[in-house]
Amino acid sequence: MIYHALIRTHHISSKKKIRSLRAAAAEHDVGVLIHVGVPGIMYVSGAKEDGVQSWVDHVHELRYKDYHLAVRVDDTGKEMAVAVGRLDAVESVKDFGETMQKAGLWEWWRKGMGYD
């Protein structure tokens, strides 16, 4: 099983916080995709539910403005969109959506973002 979660924030811009997110991805054996800018979007996936939840908890502790766990940790039956231990960043919401679509997570992501 692969567990996924989706987080929305007002923005992501702090290089210090991004380094922290990257380190936490490696520590908790999860793959992470973020949208840098406004809005802040974070997707996380991993083989272990507790690893994904620990990464989500780490994000919450960073106190991002308008933090919202859009989709709680759950098994979607889909594969991971990002390799374990990596944090990839995209510059546009369109690119984020394309990555979700390639991973078979398009509808899940759109619902979590409130687009559907």
Side-chain angles (χ1 to χ4, degrees):
M1 291 208 290
I2 302 297
Y3 297 91
H4 306 263
L6 185 67
I7 298 170
R8 289 191 323 252
T9 66
H10 182 269
H11 67 279
I12 298 175
S13 60
S14 168
K15 291 184 186 337
K16 183 178 178 181
K17 285 185 180 180
I18 293 170
R19 279 193 302 273
S20 177
L21 295 173
R22 183 172 279 117
E27 178 183 343
H28 298 296
D29 292 324
V30 297
V32 177
L33 178 67
I34 65 173
H35 170 252
V36 178
V38 178
I41 308 170
M42 299 178 226
Y43 159 80
V44 58
S45 61
K48 297 180 182 175
E49 184 176 13
D50 60 337
V52 175
Q53 186 61 56
S54 294
W55 191 88
V56 168
D57 294 343
H58 179 79
V59 173
H60 190 257
E61 291 168 3
L62 293 176
R63 301 178 54 87
Y64 274 95
K65 181 178 181 181
D66 295 337
Y67 170 92
H68 178 70
L69 182 56
V71 180
R72 297 187 185 284
V73 177
D74 194 13
D75 173 30
T76 64
K78 303 291 184 181
E79 293 299 313
M80 295 189 298
V82 181
V84 170
R86 288 192 51 157
L87 181 144
D88 292 342
V90 295
E91 298 294 324
S92 73
V93 176
K94 179 182 178 187
D95 291 342
F96 199 103
E98 287 174 357
T99 302
M100 294 289 98
Q101 191 168 23
K102 287 176 187 172
L105 295 164
W106 178 252
E107 295 300 324
W108 175 86
W109 176 72
R110 286 187 54 82
K111 183 177 179 183
M113 291 298 292
Y115 297 151
D116 283 340

